[in-house]
Amino acid sequence: MCGIVGYIGSRNGTDVLLEGLSKLEYRGYDSAGVALTINNEIRVIKAKGRLAVLKEKIEGQNLPVCHCGIGHTRWATHGAPSDVNSHPHSSGRVTIVHNGIIENYGKLKENLIKQGYQFESDTDTEVLAKLIDSCYHGEPLAAMIDALSKVRGSYGLAVLFKDFPDTIFSARKESPLIVGHGEGENFVASDIPALLKYTRRYSILDEGDIAVLKKDGISFYDEFGHPVEKEVLTADWDMEAAEKGGYPHFMLKEINEQPKAIRATVGPRVENGLPDLKIPELNDEVLKSIGTVHLVGCGTAMHAGMVGKAVIEKLARVPALVDIASEFRYRDPILSPNDLVIIISQSGETSDTLAALRLAKAHGVKVLAIVNVVGSSIAREADYVLYTYAGPEIAVASTKAYTVQLCALYLFALRLAYARGKVSEEKTRELTAQLLGAADQIQPLLDTCEDIKFLASRFMNSSDLFFLGRGFDYSLSLEGSLKLKEISYIHSDAYAAGELKHGTIALISDGTPVLALATQRDVYEKTISNVKETRSRGARVILFCRADSAVPENVADYVVRLPEYEDIFMPLLLIVPLQLFAYYMSVLRGCDVDKPRNLAKSVTVE
């Protein structure tokens, strides 16, 4: 959430900042602003609303060319969205943009007021700006070190000092920040897409790091001011990968990229027909010794973990638990030395998930990270990393990242079961081939988008909608429901179908929309029986089932049939029409598909 961009070089810095901020819109925001160094003065321009409002405001001022500046898109935490609360914030000779939360801002603010500082906004960021100013005595690096030593909380910072018009200072703690290396120019940003138009070379700031950017070089320091060296990485995807490529929305593009993402994630991890995690330290001997597997994530990642739990227990017969990261970190979980914690995150920066990882490591438990972003905090701190190769995912609602998270969990479960002798080599080869072949099974489902669009048109005016399913289908119900409500704003709930009679059926009345998921053979008849219960109370039903499923008369208003496939891999197929249904519901209702209200792509605060 929130976006930071900084630039110093010979280009028109205003254009670079606005271009970079536009590439970070997917992170979610409600206001935007820039601070521009012009003629040794810092000009701050900011506005509530979309980036277009800021651009119009800047264009109306006919500004000279600027070669150094910082920009920000804000997602409100402290203080409502407004021009005043927008970033950047200034104090004396200091101007900053900030991602994160300063937890002790109240006490800091009291002390600053006693020193004579006055406040205009409701933000913790203005407190930080004034704190740095209060510590500034002509040496910016010393001021940063002094001020940040007094701060408790998280921050990704870009800072301008009026006395140093050719320099940007940046710092990071628990909020992602990278610097981009150019030729005669340098950049700072909260994510790679902001830089791709100009450079693919970047370095990641570690916890407590400070970077000092000039147009001809970057210096790095630790939290105590000692110089440090940073590895220069190269982004493995280019600008084209972060563009819509002719699709009307990033979400639809990313839904259609799922077959490619599956092949990229699974293909390199199959050797001689068997799953190979490509993690030497996580070998078969280690897999044999695992006690309980704990799967931890937030939102969509947690839903992937639910499928992973079922597959691990079914194939490997190893107990598995699923936790929401924000609950896991505070519930004092029971962890044993031989347990394995699997941390699942698209960005690798999710605050609650990162905290869960650190909790596990504090208990001496090994951690396997399943992440999409190379070099992210979770990837760097985990004991083992299983990267997913989805490429950049720009839409806030996760689609292809979820699919490859499932693939990574399938690969882990298959290797775990094989290593422990729970599944024969022949069966392992068969299942691995089916996993790799799932990409081919998905493509025909993508080609039925017009059919799904028609179904969405029948239900687009619904105010409430219910998802039902058993087993794997219940896990998919939760994810399908989340997709629908986060981008279409329709109230939606998902229930285990067998729970209907324990209270949920009271909500079913004439015309209530129900999406019934029934792809699992062993519970198909029971699920159909539950669907009949809803029909008898007037529900309008869309039934999702297999191609060869016998559907009794008058059970559903509409039937969506999926290809025949192995039960455990049906989630990879079923998720596609659910994603498309949510997408078209959002489009038909006129919602902002890629940037739904109040949501952010990467949640880096609690």
Side-chain angles (χ1 to χ4, degrees):
M1 58 178 59
C2 302
I4 287 175
V5 180
Y7 174 75
I8 184 164
S10 57
R11 302 178 196 262
N12 185 333
T14 307
D15 292 343
V16 175
L17 295 177
L18 291 175
E19 172 70 19
L21 291 176
S22 74
K23 301 305 179 187
L24 298 178
E25 286 189 286
Y26 70 92
R27 295 172 69 88
Y29 72 104
D30 43 49
S31 60
V34 295
L36 311 171
T37 301
I38 299 174
N39 298 325
N40 295 328
E41 296 290 333
I42 298 175
R43 294 280 298 275
V44 173
I45 306 165
K46 51 188 182 177
K48 175 186 174 182
R50 291 298 188 190
L51 202 55
V53 180
L54 175 65
K55 288 180 180 178
E56 185 177 345
K57 201 169 183 179
I58 291 172
E59 289 168 359
Q61 299 195 24
N62 195 27
L63 297 169
V65 172
C66 139
H67 298 296
C68 178
I70 54 178
H72 190 264
T73 49
R74 176 181 186 253
W75 195 79
T77 51
H78 293 75
S82 68
D83 287 4
V84 172
N85 287 333
S86 303
H87 298 208
H89 287 279
S90 298
S91 178
R93 295 159 290 177
V94 177
T95 300
I96 76 171
V97 293
H98 164 229
N99 288 352
I101 291 179
I102 306 304
E103 295 175 0
N104 61 332
Y105 84 101
K107 184 65 176 178
L108 293 172
K109 187 173 184 177
E110 287 180 16
N111 293 335
L112 290 164
I113 289 173
K114 290 177 182 177
Q115 294 176 43
Y117 284 96
Q118 296 181 341
F119 290 82
E120 298 178 355
S121 76
D122 302 316
T123 68
D124 55 337
T125 298
E126 187 183 5
V127 174
L128 185 53
K130 286 176 165 47
L131 178 64
I132 295 173
D133 182 65
S134 73
C135 297
Y136 179 52
H137 306 292
E139 292 290 340
L141 183 60
M144 296 271 289
I145 293 168
D146 188 12
L148 296 177
S149 70
K150 298 177 170 67
V151 166
R152 188 175 71 251
S154 60
Y155 53 79
L157 285 176
V159 185
L160 298 178
F161 288 81
K162 181 182 175 183
D163 302 342
F164 293 79
D166 61 347
T167 311
I168 298 174
F169 297 81
S170 57
R172 176 263 170 100
K173 180 185 177 186
E174 296 182 10
S175 185
L177 207 62
I178 61 174
V179 294
H181 302 266
E183 297 294 333
E185 60 184 2
N186 289 299
F187 311 80
V188 61
S190 47
D191 206 352
I192 292 172
L195 311 180
L196 283 178
K197 183 175 180 178
Y198 310 102
T199 183
R200 293 173 61 196
R201 300 172 63 244
Y202 68 99
S203 297
I204 299 171
L205 296 190
D206 289 312
E207 292 294 282
D209 280 351
I210 299 173
V212 180
L213 288 74
K214 295 179 177 292
K215 69 177 184 179
D216 54 359
I218 305 173
S219 302
F220 299 96
Y221 304 89
D222 65 16
E223 60 188 305
F224 305 108
H226 302 133
V228 294
E229 296 292 326
K230 288 291 169 187
E231 181 182 4
V232 178
L233 306 171
T234 301
D236 59 0
W237 40 276
D238 55 23
M239 196 65 191
E240 184 179 350
E243 297 290 350
K244 291 179 184 175
Y247 288 92
H249 300 96
F250 279 110
M251 184 177 178
L252 185 60
K253 173 178 181 276
E254 289 157 11
I255 290 171
N256 278 273
E257 288 174 339
Q258 289 177 121
K260 178 182 177 183
I262 290 174
R263 294 186 185 101
T265 298
V266 178
R269 296 187 173 105
V270 176
E271 289 289 340
N272 299 318
L274 293 172
D276 186 341
L277 302 179
K278 304 294 184 181
I279 306 174
E281 301 82 4
L282 192 59
N283 54 44
D284 286 355
E285 290 305 310
V286 174
L287 293 174
K288 290 177 185 177
S289 68
I290 291 174
T292 298
V293 176
H294 304 260
L295 301 109
V296 182
C298 298
T300 287
M302 186 274 291
H303 294 159
M306 292 181 66
V307 176
K309 164 190 165 62
V311 176
I312 288 167
E313 292 189 336
K314 185 176 186 67
L315 295 180
R317 309 309 295 165
V318 172
L321 301 172
V322 182
D323 267 286
I324 299 169
S326 56
E327 293 294 317
F328 180 84
R329 63 183 293 193
Y330 291 118
R331 73 169 177 83
D332 194 18
I334 299 173
L335 298 169
S336 300
N338 285 342
D339 289 355
L340 178 72
V341 173
I342 299 180
I343 294 289
I344 310 167
S345 170
Q346 188 281 140
S347 68
E349 301 290 351
T350 311
S351 178
D352 286 315
T353 313
L354 182 57
L357 179 154
R358 290 169 177 164
L359 174 66
K361 290 183 70 68
H363 280 74
V365 176
K366 295 292 186 182
V367 174
L368 167 65
I370 295 177
V371 295
N372 193 45
V373 180
V374 176
S376 56
S377 296
I378 288 173
R380 285 181 285 125
E381 295 190 30
D383 298 286
Y384 321 111
V385 183
L386 196 56
Y387 282 115
T388 56
Y389 299 122
E393 188 178 65
I394 306 300
V396 168
S398 186
T399 52
K400 62 178 180 175
Y402 171 78
T403 306
V404 291
Q405 286 167 358
L406 292 185
C407 289
L409 290 165
Y410 282 126
L411 284 165
F412 173 81
L414 284 166
R415 190 70 206 189
L416 181 67
Y418 177 66
R420 298 170 77 102
K422 299 298 182 181
V423 178
S424 68
E425 180 175 328
E426 180 182 1
K427 185 63 175 179
T428 303
R429 289 181 184 277
E430 177 189 331
L431 293 174
T432 302
Q434 290 218 29
L435 175 60
L436 188 55
D440 297 326
Q441 299 295 322
I442 285 176
Q443 191 57 55
L445 294 169
L446 294 170
D447 297 336
T448 65
C449 58
E450 287 301 319
D451 296 337
I452 301 299
K453 185 177 181 179
F454 168 76
L455 292 178
S457 72
R458 302 295 89 189
F459 291 85
M460 59 178 284
N461 294 318
S462 304
S463 57
D464 298 279
L465 195 146
F466 296 94
F467 286 75
L468 301 176
R470 289 173 177 261
F472 288 113
D473 290 335
Y474 170 54
S475 299
L476 269 290
S477 292
L478 290 166
E479 177 60 12
S481 176
L482 176 61
K483 283 292 149 290
L484 180 68
K485 55 193 162 197
E486 68 183 331
I487 63 172
S488 74
Y489 315 143
I490 295 174
H491 171 257
S492 170
D493 279 320
Y495 296 98
E499 283 292 291
L500 274 173
K501 52 192 169 291
H502 297 290
T504 309
I505 203 162
L507 298 171
I508 306 297
S509 60
D510 193 43
T512 300
V514 172
L515 272 67
L517 314 185
T519 70
Q520 299 297 302
R521 292 188 182 94
D522 58 342
V523 290
Y524 177 73
E525 291 182 355
K526 292 186 181 299
T527 304
I528 291 297
S529 177
N530 299 137
V531 176
K532 287 179 179 178
E533 293 179 64
T534 69
R535 284 287 284 176
S536 67
R537 287 154 179 86
R540 296 169 63 207
V541 175
I542 304 176
L543 177 68
F544 295 79
C545 62
R546 295 169 171 276
D548 68 348
S549 296
V551 179
E553 190 175 352
N554 296 325
V555 164
D557 297 271
Y558 308 96
V559 178
V560 178
R561 294 186 179 271
L562 285 73
E564 287 299 316
Y565 219 55
E566 185 77 29
D567 273 19
I568 64 170
F569 296 132
M570 287 304 293
L572 290 171
L573 279 58
L574 178 54
I575 192 57
V576 174
L578 299 183
Q579 293 168 345
L580 288 170
F581 183 78
Y583 170 78
Y584 284 116
M585 289 284 273
S586 178
V587 170
L588 293 170
R589 289 167 65 88
C591 302
D592 192 339
V593 176
D594 289 334
K595 299 186 288 289
R597 67 190 183 203
N598 303 332
L599 298 179
K601 183 65 178 174
S602 178
V603 183
T604 54
V605 297
E606 284 194 62

